[in-house]
Amino acid sequence: MSKKEPDLHSAYALETPDDHKRLYAEWAGDYDDSFAAREDYQLHIHTARAFVSAGGQGPVLDVGAGTGLCGGVLAGLGVGPIDATDISAEMLDQAMRKDIYRDAIEADLNDGIPVPRESYSGIVSSGTFTHGHVGPEVIPALLRVARHGAQFALSINAKHFEAQGFSDALKVLDGDKIHNLSLPQVRIYGDLAAGENKDDTAFVALFEKT
């Protein structure tokens, strides 16, 4: 592995699940400080607040939970219990140290989530649906583990919303598998951010499972 310190550009360059595992195994220990704080990362806050404002409640699955940034906001807003799933065991280890989550589930979303059908009343995801991570093809796996009427809040990088097929996938699902779809657009980073990605935005896909 390159000795170059992991950063935002490294994350945006991910192409495969193995790439993801390697990067986040290296980054897990100081992700909160070296990325979230330095870049004034705000997406997890917007996603959690949107979920709660839409009436979301537990039990919740935090998809692509990483070190637990979104879960921490949810817990602070009184939501629980919360389970975490991520492809990176090292990131989950950091998340579980925060005493936010009931359980940690190591899983590649492309292979499904190893929990029983209809386990959750809410599904949240912040920062997973972007660049080389995963695409809309995993949404059915999320719907499988959600109960009827479950509230979803999935952040999707705006630059890739159309290009990676999220718009079309949600249109196909809307009215059949999901309803009450709305797509508020939010800034990923705050006013203290710098660099070429500082003005990036994301859609927060809010919907309920039918």
Side-chain angles (χ1 to χ4, degrees), residues 8 20 63 67 72 79 81 94 104-105 117 137 143 155 178 182:
L8 184 60
H20 191 122
V63 177
T67 60
V79 176
Q94 294 295 322
I105 305 159
R117 182 181 297 274
E137 65 277 359
L143 289 169
S155 76
I178 68 174
S182 64

Side-chain angles (χ1 to χ4, degrees), residues 142-161:
L142 305 185
L143 289 169
R144 185 190 75 84
V145 302
R147 298 170 181 168
H148 295 288
Q151 178 66 51
F152 281 66
L154 310 178
S155 76
I156 304 167
N157 188 286
K159 292 181 179 177
H160 301 276
F161 184 72

Side-chain angles (χ1 to χ4, degrees), residues 4-199:
K4 182 179 182 295
E5 183 178 336
D7 58 15
L8 184 60
H9 295 291
S10 304
Y12 278 6
L14 294 174
E15 294 182 355
T16 70
D18 285 341
D19 290 342
H20 191 122
K21 288 180 180 179
R22 282 191 293 267
L23 176 75
Y24 285 102
E26 185 177 352
W27 208 1
D30 66 349
Y31 179 86
D32 289 7
D33 292 329
S34 69
F35 168 65
R38 186 176 66 193
E39 299 290 342
D40 197 15
Y41 187 62
Q42 301 287 314
L43 185 57
H44 58 296
I45 300 172
H46 294 308
T47 303
R49 288 177 176 171
F51 175 78
V52 172
S53 294
Q57 56 187 333
V60 175
L61 181 64
D62 184 358
V63 177
T67 60
L69 293 175
C70 189
V73 179
L74 286 173
L77 293 171
V79 176
I82 312 168
D83 290 345
T85 185
D86 201 280
I87 197 172
S88 170
E90 292 81 5
M91 296 291 264
L92 286 173
D93 180 63
Q94 294 295 322
M96 292 302 286
R97 296 181 186 188
K98 296 178 178 178
D99 295 326
I100 298 164
Y101 296 103
R102 176 180 64 179
D103 194 14
I105 305 159
E106 184 182 348
D108 180 346
L109 295 179
N110 294 293
D111 298 328
I113 303 168
V115 300
R117 182 181 297 274
E118 299 182 9
S119 292
Y120 298 99
S121 295
I123 307 288
V124 301
S125 180
S126 176
T128 298
F129 293 98
T130 183
H131 295 272
H133 297 185
V134 292
E137 65 277 359
V138 306
I139 294 177
L142 305 185
L143 289 169
R144 185 190 75 84
V145 302
R147 298 170 181 168
H148 295 288
Q151 178 66 51
F152 281 66
L154 310 178
S155 76
I156 304 167
N157 188 286
K159 292 181 179 177
H160 301 276
F161 184 72
E162 295 283 350
Q164 293 193 1
F166 288 99
S167 178
D168 289 340
L170 291 172
K171 286 177 182 176
V172 169
L173 293 170
D174 194 19
D176 179 19
K177 303 292 186 181
I178 68 174
H179 65 121
N180 292 337
L181 173 65
S182 64
L183 295 163
Q185 191 168 5
V186 301
R187 291 180 61 191
I188 295 176
Y189 306 100
D191 293 337
L192 300 179
E196 62 184 273
N197 298 107
K198 66 182 180 63
D199 295 319

